[in-house]
Amino acid sequence: MGTATVLLQHGFNVTGCDISADARDAFVAAGGRSVATPAELAHCHIVLVVVVNGLQVDQVLFGEQGVASQLAPGSLIMQCATVAPSQAKQLGERLSAQGLMMLDAPISGGAAKAKSGELSVMASGTPEAFSYAQPALDAMAAKVYQLGDAPGVGSSMKLVNQLLAGVHIATAAEAMALGIRMGLDPEVIYDVITHSAGNSWMFENRVPHILSGDYTPLSAVDIFIKDLNIVHQTGRELALATPVASSALQQFTAASGAGFGREDDSAVIKVYQRLSGIALPEAANDAQGA
């Protein structure tokens, strides 16, 4: 929604497609057009695919109501979801065989950066694809990294980012749990760490959710289960062990198994609450969130 609205504000003729009627109605209210199925995007020259996982990407492009077969030759797919690099390569090959261009263009920045047009885009594709996409990229992103001339490279870079992001969130939760268990004031922990060498962007961004007890999902626990599973899968393909990422994956999996999968990813700290009985800020307690 954020990216679609920003493109609209920059003068693009934007049609939004979503399975949610409420989302479609909201975009129409913002001045855009909407359709209920990807196949109805046949009139578009650039299609941004911003969905949850690789299965959804495949359905949007090649499913029964998929858009790929409906587009005019020379149209561009910008694939922005986090998928395995191997899948990104396969998508590029399938689209090229249909006469379509593809940018493997995962995004980072979340809903807030999308809404302000300040995303980071980690992209790879042909020079022609980059040139065709440039006006849209200028509108939606603060930084566009041109990482290679074929799909797969952008997704590889996003995977490195997601490994770090997932580990940092899980580690921030563990650090806060340890401090709380030792009797430290959570607010003081945050203040000290954000002015010390142990700080990270994720600690600084996610711990306030814990402090306020607000687990409204800006990025959900289940998203990192998906992303860290891709890290694990890719590591196996490369015969490269990823033990730290695997440990973080187990913590997110435990949080999802405890019923927190659709909550904000900072809810991974609730695993420690369940295991050790630490007292989180009051609004975050399971009893009050029920």
Side-chain angles (χ1 to χ4, degrees):
M1 180 66 76
T3 295
T5 304
V6 162
L7 291 169
L8 196 65
Q9 292 168 350
H10 279 76
F12 288 86
N13 179 15
V14 185
T15 301
C17 177
D18 200 288
I19 60 172
S20 165
D22 289 343
R24 297 196 301 271
D25 291 345
F27 188 58
V28 170
R33 298 174 57 194
S34 74
V35 296
T37 67
E40 297 173 80
L41 298 170
H43 62 284
C44 296
H45 299 290
I46 299 176
V47 177
L48 281 74
V49 182
V50 188
V51 293
V52 172
N53 56 38
L55 177 60
Q56 290 185 3
V57 173
D58 194 73
Q59 291 173 338
V60 165
L61 295 178
F62 306 113
E64 186 176 345
Q65 295 292 324
V67 67
S69 64
Q70 305 300 314
L71 295 173
S75 299
L76 173 70
I77 301 290
M78 287 178 57
Q79 197 303 101
C80 300
T82 301
V83 302
S86 57
Q87 182 181 5
K89 294 175 185 177
Q90 293 168 1
L91 290 171
E93 292 168 359
R94 293 183 69 180
L95 292 170
S96 178
Q98 296 187 25
L100 303 173
M101 296 184 290
M102 173 179 155
L103 272 187
D104 179 22
I107 53 180
S108 182
K113 294 293 186 181
K115 188 176 181 180
S116 63
E118 297 178 297
L119 291 169
S120 292
V121 181
M122 310 165 206
S124 61
T126 65
E128 292 79 10
F130 273 107
S131 178
Y132 201 73
Q134 196 63 56
L137 291 170
D138 288 344
M140 63 187 276
K143 183 68 176 180
V144 178
Y145 294 94
Q146 297 191 26
L147 301 171
D149 60 4
V153 185
S155 286
S156 295
M157 183 58 70
K158 180 63 185 298
L159 210 55
V160 173
N161 182 79
Q162 294 310 94
L163 184 156
L164 288 167
V167 167
H168 287 173
I169 293 168
T171 304
E174 186 168 293
M176 289 299 297
L178 175 64
I180 292 169
R181 189 71 176 84
M182 293 189 297
L184 298 175
D185 183 325
E187 297 280 353
V188 174
I189 298 171
Y190 180 74
D191 186 39
V192 172
I193 295 302
T194 54
H195 293 88
S196 303
N199 192 30
S200 68
W201 190 92
M202 281 299 188
F203 185 97
E204 192 162 343
N205 183 267
R206 295 305 204 267
V207 171
H209 303 179
I210 297 169
L211 298 179
S212 65
D214 183 1
Y215 294 98
T216 303
L218 301 180
S219 177
V221 165
D222 283 346
I223 293 294
F224 272 98
I225 293 177
K226 182 263 296 184
D227 289 355
L228 291 174
N229 263 312
I230 297 174
V231 171
H232 179 68
Q233 169 196 331
T234 303
R236 289 186 63 182
E237 292 173 0
L238 300 171
L240 177 71
T242 54
V244 179
S246 295
S247 179
L249 172 59
Q250 291 305 310
Q251 288 302 103
F252 283 108
T253 302
S256 184
F260 310 127
R262 294 184 178 273
E263 295 189 18
D264 187 75
D265 48 36
S266 59
V268 70
I269 196 172
K270 293 186 179 183
V271 174
Y272 297 96
Q273 182 188 40
R274 287 285 181 91
L275 292 175
S276 66
I278 60 171
L280 298 179
E282 186 174 341
N285 290 338
D286 293 341
Q288 297 211 6

